[in-house]
Amino acid sequence: ARGLAEAGVTDVAVPRVYEALTTRRVLVSEWIDGRKLSECSTEEVRELVAIGQECFLVQLLQTGFFHSDPHPGNLMRPHDQSRARLVLIDFGLVARVQRKDQDLFVSSIIHLANKDYAALIDDFVGLGILPPDCNRAKVLPLMDKALSPYVKGGGAKKYEQELKTLYGMDGSVESTVGGFQAMTSDMLTVLNDIPFSIPPYFALLARAVVTLEGLALQADPDYGLVLEAYPFVARKLLSSDRPELQKALQEVLYGGGDPALKGGVTPTRLA
């Protein structure tokens, strides 16, 4: 709660903890009267998801301490809107992110949005996902195939459609068999030829991202977290004078790895 307040988040509240009544096994916190997001209308969910997304990004990229289980039962619209429009409850599953990793997440979002997968490989090396001596010639095309459909948003169904198009599956038996064989070959390359590892807190981060996206997709079928996070990242970069983030700001302004955007300032990307 203190971290959110210091970051200027005013629309989100966290129940007060009664420390005198709390033990190692029992957490006693303030009771909140309200409705869970699972009980709210589509319009209310759309409005509150935008607030929840901002809150999650602040936790992940700014405070370094994030709620790892933001499912609709843990997000509430309080009856009393004077204090906050959204309340986060149940902090039984949380994780911490170090400053170095926060900076790399910022870079990763920029590189994903710009489809700059060569630079994204460097981010993944920094995060410990890929080894420094990984075979970039093999990693790069696989990143493009796996991540480009995800960046477009739209959830699992649209991701599946994009993959089928990417692998030439037009509905015929021949194209389906050929596409499946090509996909299997790529998967085997990842498993056998690319030594990757997943940092411990990534499981909690992935859980939070999948849960938040699933909730957002109920209100907006085209929702995509990467592109939705881009304006937040841009604002963060514009307000920071740290050298690590100034380099990332240049990529926001000048288009990063997208050849169509290189060489000219693109202020509309900050909107």
Side-chain angles (χ1 to χ4, degrees), residues 9-269:
V9 178
T10 58
D11 286 334
V12 179
V14 175
R16 299 182 183 91
V17 175
Y18 296 103
E19 295 185 7
L21 302 176
T22 296
T23 68
R24 183 178 179 182
R25 295 179 178 275
V26 179
L27 174 66
V28 180
S29 63
E30 172 189 11
W31 179 266
I32 300 294
D33 285 313
R35 286 181 293 144
K36 298 176 181 178
L37 256 64
S38 55
E39 302 169 342
C40 293
S41 67
T42 300
E43 283 301 317
E44 288 174 321
V45 170
R46 183 179 293 111
E47 174 190 350
L48 295 175
V49 161
I51 297 171
Q53 170 191 283
E54 183 89 359
C55 177
F56 173 72
L57 292 170
V58 165
Q59 292 176 77
L60 177 63
L61 303 177
Q62 202 161 322
T63 67
F65 182 81
F66 67 92
H67 191 305
S68 305
D69 195 19
H71 64 73
N74 285 341
L75 302 174
M76 295 186 67
R77 183 185 188 279
H79 294 324
D80 181 5
Q81 295 275 291
S82 61
R83 177 180 165 193
R85 296 160 68 189
L86 181 69
V87 176
L88 296 182
I89 64 173
D90 189 3
F91 278 74
L93 199 60
V94 297
R96 293 186 181 275
V97 183
Q98 300 300 315
R99 172 62 66 84
K100 170 180 171 290
D101 289 346
Q102 287 178 307
D103 291 345
L104 287 167
F105 282 137
V106 169
S107 294
S108 296
I109 291 171
I110 293 167
H111 295 146
L112 267 173
N114 289 332
K115 297 183 181 179
D116 188 354
Y117 297 121
L120 187 63
I121 291 176
D122 292 328
D123 297 331
F124 279 20
V125 169
L127 288 166
I129 299 174
L130 291 172
D133 61 349
C134 65
N135 188 331
R136 293 171 180 256
K138 284 188 176 181
V139 173
L140 194 60
L142 294 175
M143 267 192 170
D144 190 1
K145 289 179 181 178
L147 297 178
S148 291
Y150 172 73
V151 171
K152 292 181 179 180
K157 288 185 178 179
K158 288 197 175 180
Y159 184 83
E160 180 183 355
Q161 292 171 0
E162 290 287 342
L163 277 185
K164 286 182 176 179
T165 300
L166 190 62
Y167 282 96
M169 299 181 186
D170 59 12
S172 66
V173 175
E174 294 82 1
S175 68
T176 301
V177 172
F180 183 76
Q181 288 175 341
M183 194 182 302
T184 302
S185 175
D186 285 344
M187 290 178 63
L188 289 174
T189 298
V190 171
L191 293 174
N192 297 328
D193 299 342
I194 301 175
F196 66 92
S197 59
I198 304 299
Y201 68 86
F202 261 55
L204 295 179
L205 174 59
R207 177 190 178 97
V209 168
V210 169
T211 303
L212 184 61
E213 279 198 328
L215 180 59
L217 285 165
Q218 295 177 24
D220 178 6
D222 296 320
Y223 180 88
L225 182 60
V226 173
L227 296 180
E228 292 291 337
Y230 206 95
F232 174 90
V233 168
R235 294 197 306 272
K236 178 178 173 64
L237 297 180
L238 286 170
S239 63
S240 175
D241 58 1
R242 293 176 51 233
E244 298 90 341
L245 297 185
Q246 286 298 302
K247 179 182 176 182
L249 176 59
Q250 292 179 11
E251 297 187 48
V252 172
L253 291 173
Y254 293 97
D258 190 336
L261 298 172
K262 279 189 173 180
V265 177
T266 53
T268 53
R269 297 177 67 79

